[in-house]
Amino acid sequence: MDPAQSDRAVLFDFVAQWMDDRRRQIRHPLSHYLARFPEQEELVASEFARLSRETPLLGEPDARRAGAGVPADRYERLQEIARGGMGRILLVRDRTMNRRLAMKVARGSSRAARERLVEEGRVTGELDHPGVVPVHDAGVDEAGQPFFTMRFVEGLDLREIIVKVHERRNAWTRARALEVLLKVCDTVAFAHSRGVVHRDLKAANIRVGSYGEVYVLDWGLAKAPKSQDHEGSGSPALVPDSASSGLTRDGDVIGTPCTMSPEQAAGSPGAIGPRSDVYSVGAMLYELLCGRMPYVERGEQVPASDVVARVLAGPPAALHRLDAELPGELVAICEKAMARDPSDRYADMREMAADLRAYLESRVVQAYRTGASARIAKWVARNRWLSVAILAAVVIAISASAAIVTLQRRSQRRLQLVADRGNPKTLLERFDEIRPDGPGQVAAMEAWLAEARDLESRRDAYARELKSLQARARPYDANAPKEAEARREHAHKIEVFERLIRIYRSEEERMKREGGLSEEDLTLDEVRARIKSLGERLAELSSTSPGRLTWEFEDANDQFRHDALAEFLPALAALSDRSSGESLVTRMQTRLDAAREIESATLLQPARLWDLAIASIRNVSECPLYHGLSIRPQLGLIPIHRDPGSGLWEFLHWESGSAPAVGANGSIVPGIEMGIVLVLLPGGKFRYGAQREDPEQPNYDPQAEPAEWSTRLQRPTTIRATLAPFFISKYEMTQAQWRRVAGDNPSEWTAKTASAHVHSELHPVERVDWNTAMRTVAQVGLALPTEAQWEYAARGGTTTPWWTGSERESLRGAVNLADRSARAGFAAPSDSDDWSDLDDGFAAHAPVGSFRGNPFGLHDVCGNVAEWCRDRGDTSYNNAIDVYVDTFERWALDEGVRVLRGGCCSSRASACRSSARAFSGATRAAPDTGLRPSRELDP
């Protein structure tokens, strides 16, 4: 063991004994402790002197004298960053070493809590492994409370990563998350080799640092050699743990219910061992695979005792029922790890790690399938061309006969088709996972394109073979059982679409007469869009009804090849389909070209521009809003200039278009070829939301609604937030920018469709749902802003209802909303404001930048199109179960709700207020809904 680690272990043992003696009002001399720690006399003597000097007997008048101890002088407590059932994590600054550290202190002053903290520090300090955060220091503070300090790890926890995997955000893929889980297995395996069982493994306790380092945190419930167990018997009391995203036992804690093993749930301490940790890692794999924790539905609020009852009652919902397309190998690994009987689980964590590693390396997973045939199949999958060559060589060596050669060719063709059959679907899944965020992605893009083009090279031959096979199929019989069943299913689908169209048309007529929304809370435009989409799908189904639907063959090999080709060719066509714009192959080639150039184009060539921008931003007298902010060059961005109006720096997002033109007054002139222009906002402390109680307080708004304030203080109030600096688009994303990034233009009001009104691709993109917006901007390294970021940007430093002021009249010349032109056209609702003399000249949305910008230089934060925000969940500010540091992104229990901000061209002025919020489902796509991309500042 590292000597420093050994010293810390002794230190924790000494402090624990010293504290226990002090609580019992016992003063042992130094010789007493030196006798107990014979090989650490110098360390114990030094700590004994410090503790005796700094902390008197508990209960003495000066026991809490402020500033008496060295810890209070050495560590500056900055803020609380986490809280669990047993302890709190504080961010502190070590004044001696001038660095930030994480300090853990007990939650509560009970003897059990203190002893548990000391034990956790001892265990953590003894585990000298890259996957365990190293302990730097330990001691007792001026109030007599034990503490220990550790490296402060910035990054994401595994729970956040799992969400990103399922939303395909920031290049987090399932395979990449599995690599994290593999490192967790290695770390826990090391702990097991030292006799330590974690007993509280869960996604919230896994931290991934900014450079890929993976740490297993919170060893507070760990069971270690020579440690005193504190479990009780029976079923201990349970309380929620907000830091776990699940539920936690308090007092005699033995785990987190959603991820605890059945033997833990049964309150059987003697049965808990390494295989209990194996179960918990399996539960994390379960959450990664299906996007929800075992035993708890998404958004479900369940008492801890009920979760424990579910664990004791039986296994969680089967993974294959939640998602039939999950890889069988991963399902098998998860089911083996989460076996009810510990003897049926992996023998140890290394066995589970071996299976995960085998899956990632395309080798045989022992939990799924074993034997020679399985190993051969995996080898063939990894070495497709080599296997074909070996097969050919072996067959030719056996015999030169024509019959054997024919068999060899058939086997080769079958192997080829088996290998090809699932590849188009795999390529489609990988397309969204590969981003051009630098040279590191070039190899992945080149591999994707090589596979896609390799498949395309065989498409014509496969198409000819399919046609040839169908020519020798059994004679067509419309009354054959399979054909008759297929035709019944086909007819039923047509009937369903026809019925839906009739329902929506009836709803359309009612809404035209009565106004309002449909029963599904859809607008009239959305209902018409549903009718159009259903009609297109109905036409597609109807066009195939006269033809033959099934094909049957006498020869089993012919049947196999026909069915495989019938599945393969349509999937392959999706890679080359150009019906909605550029094909995926063309778009990936564009991404590859960008990835090859991005470093040179955005870091090397504009190096001088970056030097100027960085120096300007850091210069407080030149850019006072940034308060001396120090940044580094940002991959993918190019400095444009410091906006003369706002004083903020603006940057070109290189991949989305060309540099914009700059007018004579120094302001940007929007153009169709212009890329996304990002404004660097300084962030800092601010209030968002609104209140209507006190006109003298910030964000007073007499029109504020309950969804715009918090009631955590038992009265309507605004929300305090501290935001890290971030980028946000100066304009709403245009149709041209979307087309260049996504390859299509989904907007309803375009130059082609809006013939009665002048439109161009400089208008904002719309009819984009939240899911598509999130996925598309992530492909080019961007994101949607959080609500806090959006409102901070929209207010531009103001606290009035609109950034223009407190009166509706102040909006003139700054907003496109429901006015005279809209009422005369088609965008205004019947209940719009009676603002008869307002006319912005646009019946629908306007080209971006048509109206004056706010103090931050952002345009159209009021009106034009409503803008999606990243947050998900409940409509109330009070119901967030998690809020992220730096971005203030909110998570609530109802994951189906998404937020729109800023109002639109068919909105009242009141709906365009800075604090106004609208809510919709993640799949809503309407002609008044767009987006304004954002990006975090790379550290």
Side-chain angles (χ1 to χ4, degrees):
M1 181 186 295
D2 183 344
Q5 295 281 350
S6 177
D7 287 350
R8 283 192 287 271
V10 171
L11 181 62
F12 275 117
D13 285 341
F14 165 69
V15 170
Q17 292 181 29
W18 185 90
M19 285 178 54
D20 188 52
D21 291 340
R22 285 294 200 178
R23 278 191 293 272
R24 290 182 292 162
Q25 305 289 299
I26 297 175
R27 283 187 184 272
H28 282 302
L30 175 60
S31 59
H32 170 83
Y33 297 106
L34 292 179
R36 304 196 65 171
F37 299 95
E39 297 181 3
Q40 298 289 342
E41 291 90 346
E42 183 177 348
L43 176 67
V44 171
S46 173
E47 188 67 12
F48 178 86
R50 186 178 70 82
L51 292 176
S52 299
R53 180 177 66 254
E54 296 163 7
T55 311
L57 287 173
L58 298 181
E60 292 181 2
D62 59 347
R64 295 184 179 272
R65 187 172 62 250
V70 173
D73 295 333
R74 177 170 181 176
Y75 297 113
E76 177 188 359
R77 299 191 178 193
L78 302 177
Q79 65 182 87
E80 181 178 305
I81 55 178
R83 177 184 292 242
M86 299 297 293
R88 298 186 299 133
I89 305 292
L90 308 177
L91 178 63
V92 301
R93 185 172 69 87
D94 182 349
R95 291 188 174 98
T96 302
M97 301 299 293
N98 192 26
R99 61 182 176 178
R100 294 194 302 171
L101 297 174
M103 173 185 284
K104 186 151 190 178
V105 297
R107 184 177 178 185
S109 58
S110 69
R111 174 177 178 178
R114 294 182 177 189
E115 290 178 345
R116 177 68 74 182
L117 181 82
V118 171
E119 178 70 2
E120 178 184 356
R122 185 185 73 80
V123 171
T124 308
E126 289 179 348
L127 292 176
D128 184 15
H129 187 273
V132 180
V133 180
V135 172
H136 290 298
D137 187 19
V140 178
D141 66 15
E142 67 278 8
Q145 293 283 10
F147 72 88
F148 61 90
T149 60
M150 308 167 286
R151 176 188 298 168
F152 173 55
V153 181
E154 297 185 87
L156 303 171
D157 63 41
L158 183 57
R159 184 185 58 184
E160 296 170 307
I161 289 170
I162 288 171
V163 172
K164 292 178 182 295
V165 168
H166 285 270
E167 294 182 349
R168 298 183 177 180
R169 291 170 56 190
N170 294 354
W172 273 103
T173 64
R174 180 191 291 160
R176 188 177 170 194
L178 286 172
E179 293 281 2
V180 172
L181 210 55
L182 186 58
K183 291 182 180 179
V184 172
C185 290
D186 291 339
T187 301
V188 178
F190 172 82
H192 290 172
S193 73
R194 298 298 188 270
V196 177
V197 181
H198 191 285
R199 301 196 297 181
D200 194 22
L201 291 168
K202 56 190 176 186
N205 281 345
I206 309 303
R207 174 71 61 170
V208 180
S210 303
Y211 296 94
E213 61 271 33
V214 177
Y215 296 104
V216 178
L217 307 177
D218 200 351
W219 296 82
L221 304 184
K223 183 177 182 180
K226 300 180 182 179
S227 65
Q228 181 180 0
D229 288 332
H230 302 283
E231 301 96 45
S233 58
S235 299
L238 301 164
V239 298
D241 178 7
S242 61
S244 70
S245 204
L247 304 157
T248 261
R249 297 186 172 198
D250 196 37
D252 293 328
V253 175
I254 324 178
T256 299
C258 288
T259 56
M260 69 166 52
S261 62
E263 60 269 21
Q264 288 175 274
S268 304
I272 299 173
R275 296 194 187 198
S276 304
D277 280 352
V278 169
Y279 181 98
S280 296
V281 176
M284 287 191 281
L285 176 58
Y286 182 103
E287 186 176 355
L288 170 60
L289 293 177
C290 66
R292 47 160 279 194
M293 291 184 291
Y295 299 103
V296 177
E297 299 282 349
R298 288 191 185 92
E300 185 181 14
Q301 300 185 61
V302 186
S305 56
D306 288 356
V307 179
V308 172
R310 293 179 185 182
V311 175
L312 293 172
L319 284 168
H320 70 270
R321 292 184 180 176
L322 298 176
D323 186 349
E325 297 185 1
L326 287 173
E329 292 99 326
L330 291 179
V331 173
I333 293 172
C334 185
E335 290 178 345
K336 184 173 179 66
M338 295 183 70
R340 306 285 296 171
D341 188 337
S343 64
D344 292 333
R345 298 175 200 154
Y346 288 101
D348 54 40
M349 198 63 77
R350 289 178 296 181
E351 275 194 11
M352 183 175 183
D355 258 2
L356 284 173
R357 192 171 281 111
Y359 172 80
L360 290 169
E361 295 173 357
S362 296
R363 293 185 287 104
V364 173
V365 172
Q366 297 299 318
Y368 182 64
R369 199 159 46 125
T370 59
S373 61
R375 289 192 294 273
I376 291 171
K378 283 290 184 182
W379 186 88
V380 167
R382 296 196 307 272
N383 306 276
R384 186 176 64 190
W385 295 112
L386 181 58
S387 65
V388 171
I390 292 175
L391 177 61
V394 170
V395 173
I396 291 172
I398 292 173
S399 174
S401 68
I404 297 292
V405 172
T406 301
L407 178 61
Q408 180 266 333
R409 288 175 178 169
R410 173 177 289 186
S411 299
Q412 178 178 336
R413 289 168 54 229
R414 187 180 183 94
L415 275 173
Q416 182 70 69
L417 184 55
V418 169
D420 286 346
R421 186 174 185 176
N423 280 351
K425 182 179 179 181
T426 302
L427 287 171
L428 286 170
E429 292 174 348
R430 285 167 50 199
F431 180 84
D432 287 334
E433 298 172 358
I434 302 175
R435 286 176 38 204
D437 55 358
Q441 290 291 326
V442 168
M445 295 179 186
E446 288 176 339
W448 191 97
L449 280 169
E451 290 182 50
R453 287 168 175 158
D454 182 47
L455 290 175
E456 284 188 322
S457 70
R458 292 188 289 280
R459 178 173 53 184
D460 292 344
Y462 278 148
R464 289 193 298 270
E465 182 182 359
L466 180 63
K467 187 175 181 179
S468 174
L469 283 169
Q470 291 179 345
R472 60 175 183 265
R474 287 176 180 172
Y476 174 58
D477 180 2
N479 297 317
K482 287 179 66 177
E483 179 71 17
E485 178 62 24
R487 296 183 77 81
R488 281 195 295 272
E489 290 182 6
H490 191 81
H492 177 67
K493 288 180 182 177
I494 292 176
E495 181 183 347
V496 168
F497 279 109
E498 289 175 338
R499 185 164 64 249
L500 286 173
I501 290 173
R502 288 196 297 271
I503 291 172
Y504 280 115
R505 281 181 175 157
S506 174
E507 192 72 356
E508 178 188 21
E509 293 301 319
R510 183 195 65 77
M511 293 171 70
K512 285 195 293 186
R513 292 192 309 270
E514 303 173 8
L517 300 176
S518 73
E519 293 183 358
E520 299 178 61
D521 291 332
L522 301 176
T523 65
L524 182 58
D525 285 335
E526 289 174 315
V527 168
R528 288 169 175 167
R530 290 277 178 93
I531 294 171
K532 180 181 177 182
S533 175
L534 290 169
E536 291 171 350
R537 296 173 68 183
L538 176 61
E540 181 181 350
L541 282 171
S542 300
S543 66
T544 61
S545 57
R548 183 173 182 174
L549 298 178
T550 61
W551 304 81
E552 296 187 65
F553 299 83
E554 299 290 345
D555 185 274
N557 185 63
D558 286 347
Q559 187 74 60
F560 164 79
R561 291 195 66 79
H562 177 276
D563 294 346
L565 289 168
E567 175 186 343
F568 168 77
L569 287 169
L572 180 58
L575 296 177
S576 305
D577 179 30
R578 294 177 173 83
S579 60
S580 61
E582 296 178 336
S583 71
L584 295 188
V585 173
T586 301
R587 288 170 58 193
M588 183 59 79
Q589 183 63 57
T590 302
R591 290 190 193 179
L592 175 59
D593 295 340
R596 286 169 172 162
E597 299 176 25
I598 193 168
E599 184 173 21
S600 174
T602 66
L603 299 184
L604 302 180
Q605 296 177 28
R608 178 57 179 160
L609 288 176
W610 275 113
D611 290 343
L612 293 172
I614 291 170
S616 174
I617 291 169
R618 192 168 50 233
N619 189 325
V620 177
S621 60
E622 183 176 344
C623 294
L625 291 177
Y626 291 120
H627 303 288
L629 175 65
S630 180
I631 70 169
R632 65 176 178 85
Q634 307 285 299
L635 183 66
L637 304 186
I638 299 175
I640 299 174
H641 68 176
R642 178 170 169 263
D643 181 68
S646 69
L648 298 173
W649 270 85
E650 299 177 338
F651 300 80
L652 169 68
H653 179 260
W654 175 76
E655 192 181 352
S656 58
S658 304
V662 178
N665 63 353
S667 297
I668 287 175
V669 180
I672 290 177
E673 299 302 319
M674 172 186 71
I676 295 169
V677 176
L678 294 173
V679 182
L680 176 59
L681 300 187
K685 295 181 179 180
F686 89 111
R687 288 178 178 269
Y688 73 99
Q691 54 88 20
R692 60 186 188 193
E693 288 194 335
D694 187 352
E696 302 302 319
Q697 294 299 315
N699 297 17
Y700 172 72
D701 188 344
Q703 299 183 78
E705 299 178 355
E708 299 173 35
W709 63 64
S710 169
T711 56
R712 290 191 182 278
L713 301 179
Q714 309 304 316
R715 58 182 178 80
T717 184
T718 54
I719 302 98
R720 297 175 182 269
T722 302
L723 296 177
F726 66 99
F727 297 96
I728 192 166
S729 180
K730 185 178 182 73
Y731 309 102
E732 293 162 333
M733 191 170 184
T734 69
Q735 296 179 17
Q737 290 164 352
W738 182 275
R739 174 178 50 76
R740 288 192 288 269
V741 170
D744 63 354
N745 182 3
S747 305
E748 179 163 325
W749 306 116
T750 67
K752 295 180 179 179
T753 60
S755 56
H757 302 270
V758 178
H759 280 72
S760 73
E761 285 195 322
L762 194 55
H763 282 247
V765 67
E766 24 91 348
R767 202 172 279 288
V768 177
D769 64 78
W770 186 90
N771 291 327
T772 303
M774 287 282 289
R775 183 175 62 252
T776 300
V777 296
Q779 291 171 10
V780 290
L782 299 175
L784 297 179
T786 66
E787 276 202 88
Q789 288 175 332
W790 189 95
E791 188 168 327
Y792 169 77
R795 287 187 177 277
T798 66
T799 60
T800 49
W802 298 277
W803 65 262
T804 57
S806 299
E807 302 299 327
R808 184 184 69 172
E809 292 294 330
S810 65
L811 291 169
R812 290 185 184 273
V815 62
N816 174 20
L817 44 68
D819 64 342
R820 185 186 303 171
S821 291
R823 287 191 293 271
F826 35 68
S830 58
D831 62 346
S832 60
D833 286 333
D834 182 19
W835 200 352
S836 58
D837 64 333
L838 178 68
D839 190 354
D840 55 44
F842 295 96
H845 47 63
V848 300
S850 297
F851 302 90
R852 71 177 187 270
N854 76 352
F856 283 166
L858 307 182
H859 295 262
D860 304 314
V861 288
C862 297
N864 223 30
V865 293
E867 301 170 13
W868 287 116
C869 289
R870 192 191 316 168
D871 309 70
R872 58 191 57 70
D874 204 286
T875 58
S876 170
Y877 281 131
N878 296 331
N879 295 336
I881 62 172
D882 207 349
V883 177
Y884 289 98
V885 178
D886 293 338
T887 66
F888 235 70
E889 180 179 356
R890 298 173 56 258
W891 283 71
L893 295 175
D894 184 0
E895 295 186 356
V897 177
R898 300 294 185 270
V899 185
L900 290 158
R901 288 298 208 113
C904 65
C905 54
S906 60
S907 296
R908 296 166 168 250
S910 59
C912 301
R913 292 173 297 109
S914 296
S915 61
R917 309 168 73 210
F919 307 97
S920 185
T923 59
R924 178 185 186 267
D928 59 2
T929 302
L931 64 148
R932 182 185 300 270
S934 69
R935 170 174 157 160
E936 309 308 323
L937 178 67
D938 293 337

